[in-house]
Amino acid sequence: MNPKIICFAVFCLCLFTACEVEQKSHIVRFEGEFSQHKWAVRDLNPVLPSDWSSSKYVTLEIKASSTQRFSLNLYDAEGIRQLQIHPFQDAWVRASIPLIHFQKRNVRGVDMAAIGKTALPGLWIGFTRSVGTVSQIDSIGVEMRLPVGTPKLEIRNVRLTQTPEDSILSPIPAVDEFGQWIPSDWDGKAKTLEELKTAWTEEEKELERPGGFNVSAFGGYLNSKVKATGFFRVEKIEGRWWFVDPEGYLFFSLGSTGIDPGRSFARVEGREYIFKSFPPAGLSDKRIEKSSFNTWNLYRRFGDDWYGKWTNMTIRRMDSWGLNTVANWSDINLSKTRRKAYVATLRGWGFDPNTMGMPDVYDPGYDALVDSAAKSQCLPLKDDPFLLGYFVGNEPPWPGREMELVKVILEGEDTPMKAALQKYLADGDTPERRKAFVYETYIKFITTVNAAIKKHDPNHLNLGLRFGGRPPGDLVKVSASVGFDVFSINIYGYSAYKETLQEIDKLTGLPIIIGEFHFGTPGRGLAPGLAQTGNQTERGVAYRYYVENAAAHPSLVGTHWFQWWDQPSTGRYDGENYNIGFVDVTDQPYKELVNAAIETHKRIRDIHLGVEGPVTRQAQRQ
């Protein structure tokens, strides 16, 4: 036979075999408390090598019936490499996952959110600590904890590539004109504008009923009064810390972050084909990559004067629901209504993503930079009685990773901080001294910032740095002596962790405020967030248990929910697409959550006083 014919026949056979492999799907179902599945590399694709180190991406196609995150594991001879995958719901997507994320922990970012995840067009990735070589891969696996129902995952076309090939494959479009996820359905999903208008009208009628919380103009409890100073302050009364409002009424801060007129911008650029339509120019920052369906729905609801009417509606909702604080990341104009207490988040301290958020406090101009930033932000607020206090930062990512921070500084560009570090280590380079340098740098940073704030505004509270997770005890102790009036921490869990609060109390002696927590449920194209519940009713149960049991601690003075709106189903800037709102994208409240919050807010004063006990029922997580 002609050799050319033989070669052509072999080529056709290979092409046919490749096509067969390309079309094969591997289906798994997650069930039970913990579900795990594993395939040999050769079973997913016979031509995949074991050495992946020369490739840049593992490219695969997936379809998940649930938005629940799952772990994608690579089994290397030297250990497991793992990432968390947060998939779209009921949509085939092609994802090119950078292999570097299996090999090295990310060290670039100013806070824990920035350093801990990255967005792809059809999903987003959460980084883990399970990293290392990818030169001896024999298996690939997936695993899920606490699956809700029996979610299904399909995987096909696993390949190694040198370039990204990301795409959302089907169905197209995936997002409707209201910003809702098309492939999923649920009770209350808006089918028409007329349905939405009916729901909005019904809510208006419900808000006409008074909230009955018996509070002052600032939100303090009218039947509990002490000395008034004209500004918010803190006081320990009979062994329990309280905020005290400007009129002298005891105040427990119940707030929500992200109260804004729809800045939950959907990531659109490069994915225009999955949207049925886009908000008109003028409602979404006039840029397609800044599309806010929330804002578009507010316009549909209120018309040309949507912003003013939304502002009034928001205050009415807060009054009705018992929320007394406009918390972090919220619309600054809400503070100007002089109808609600609010917090201010200060910026301009030189947080650097190249050094894990640590500012270069050794730069000769740093003190002047801080003073200017404090003056411009604090001086205009100095006499505002509605200001609860200042947050000075958010979730620094370096606590517990001090050795990585030192390495980043030493391997980075020549800076005053690098020079100071090198000089410090010249007298002895040990892990203990490296950590000591980081702590001394932190103390210099936060002491400088806090002094500048107090210089330009001696009237208001310093609410702290909003640490994330469980910061090391020695860092907590150090933070008690640098000028904070309140210790702030974001605690994502099913409770505020009594042992954590007790440790902070013991180490600092300061009142404590929880700057962020939330609960979500998979569905509607939205992921369940950092603390998952089985359904919307259980979100309300979880809220009551968390807030009431936190408030029972004598040092806890407030809890702030993250956040007012659901995140976009297609993800915000970093990919997060959580079901964590008091209201959804169509500006409809989650009644189960709202009603539960109202019941808790009516009891919170007596719970914190210790005359009533907190609820004991915990939410179902599956």
Side-chain angles (χ1 to χ4, degrees), residues 307-356:
Y307 182 76
K309 291 180 178 178
W310 168 82
T311 301
N312 187 60
M313 168 63 77
T314 299
I315 299 298
R316 289 176 61 199
R317 280 173 166 170
M318 293 181 72
D319 286 342
S320 178
W321 300 349
L323 291 167
N324 58 23
T325 307
V326 178
N328 234 39
W329 324 123
S330 295
D331 182 16
I332 191 172
N333 289 314
L334 283 173
S335 65
K336 299 176 181 178
T337 64
R338 300 182 69 81
R339 295 167 66 184
K340 285 292 173 187
Y342 69 97
V343 302
T345 302
L346 302 179
R347 298 174 174 84
W349 314 135
F351 295 135
D352 188 347
N354 295 310
T355 52
M356 299 177 73

Side-chain angles (χ1 to χ4, degrees), residues 103-121:
Q103 300 173 75
K104 296 180 180 179
R105 294 184 73 189
N106 183 41
V107 293
R108 180 176 172 78
V110 300
D111 59 22
M112 292 175 68
I115 214 167
K117 64 177 76 73
T118 191
L120 298 182

Side-chain angles (χ1 to χ4, degrees), residues 590-607:
Y590 287 98
K591 293 183 179 180
E592 301 91 341
L593 174 62
V594 168
N595 290 338
I598 290 171
E599 292 305 308
T600 284
H601 298 165
K602 287 179 178 178
R603 288 165 27 87
I604 209 72
R605 169 190 169 275
D606 288 343
I607 291 172

